[in-house]
Amino acid sequence: MFDKVLTITVNPALDATLWLSALDFDEPVKATRETVCAGGKALNVARVLTSLGIPARLTGLAGQQNILSLEKLLLKDKVDFDLIPVRGAVRENLTLVLPDGRVLKVNRMGSPPERRALSELKSKIRTVLREHTGVLVVFAGSLPPSMTKEDYKEIIRYTQKLGAPVAVDTPFFTQEDYQQIKPFAIKPNLTELKTVLSRSLRGDASVEKAARELSKDVEHVLISLGCKGLVYANREKLVRFSVPQVEVKSTVGAGDTTLAAFLAQLSRKGDPVAAARYATAAGTASVTLDGTGVITRAMVEKILPKVLEQGNK
């Protein structure tokens, strides 16, 4: 099906997570603990694929002012990368874990890329696809300032014209966009699904209906529902998976983990329903980690027997 995954980032991040012992709006609050990880959807997908033993490469744009800090973190996670320096800095996102367990996440906008950088990104994609056969390309994450949705779609179409299937995980595409792109896979969460459809959703039946709608134009549709599990759909079937109750430490990156695990297991086994079940277990394992920690295969295998199929329609 595919032997290698190329993930594309146009707005990477340094994700800092701070744990606070108090919340005080009058005096400075000291963090009791902190972590910094390479962040952004495409980076998280690459980190998880690498951890699961799937050949992956990350390419894309990164602000030159602190690109070395980002690369150092990617090296720590053993991610194969080839980034294009652009003006400005890699955005630094902040997650605050409050004393009562609530989480506040603030994402910065990032640096606007030069037009030449987008052309260079196409060149990087073309090179990988010429050097390797059986490559799936993942486009994931937010857009930096000045880059439009049409710019992004143009790069996706260019990649498809080169013969590569694409998986997409963005917060801004609509159903009309997916009808035009016809991607191999998408993985919206419930909030993103409402954006895709431009309508509210009420109850399980509405989510399943949405999954079926999207599967007309998308080969594999995964809708992550947090503690309520996951809905998977393709043109032939729809399956809902339930998940066990776990201690939730951070939901940041759980959706990216879900997509990465689906692709990893699909590349190994070729069974999409089994891959969706594996992805559900991986997403559940992810929320038990602090910050944007990376799951292991052992963690997924431990949870997998507790992921139950709730119906195959």
Side-chain angles (χ1 to χ4, degrees), residues 26 36-37 74 79 197 209 218 221 230 251 286 309:
D26 297 318
V36 179
C37 298
L74 291 171
V79 173
L197 299 172
K209 180 181 178 182
V218 181
V221 177
L230 180 139
T251 60
S286 177
E309 191 174 305

Side-chain angles (χ1 to χ4, degrees), residues 117-133:
L118 300 182
S119 296
E120 190 171 345
L121 177 56
K122 287 183 180 179
S123 178
K124 295 278 188 185
I125 294 170
R126 183 175 66 250
T127 297
V128 172
L129 296 182
R130 284 180 174 176
E131 292 177 350
H132 303 274
T133 58

Side-chain angles (χ1 to χ4, degrees), residues 8 26 48 52 59-60 65 89 92 98 133 136 141 147-148 183 194 200 223 242 245 275 283 293:
I8 309 298
D26 297 318
V48 173
L52 295 177
T59 193
Q65 291 178 13
E92 297 176 353
L98 305 180
T133 58
L136 180 138
M147 185 173 181
T148 69
K194 293 175 184 177
S200 60
I223 302 173
S242 65
Q245 185 175 354

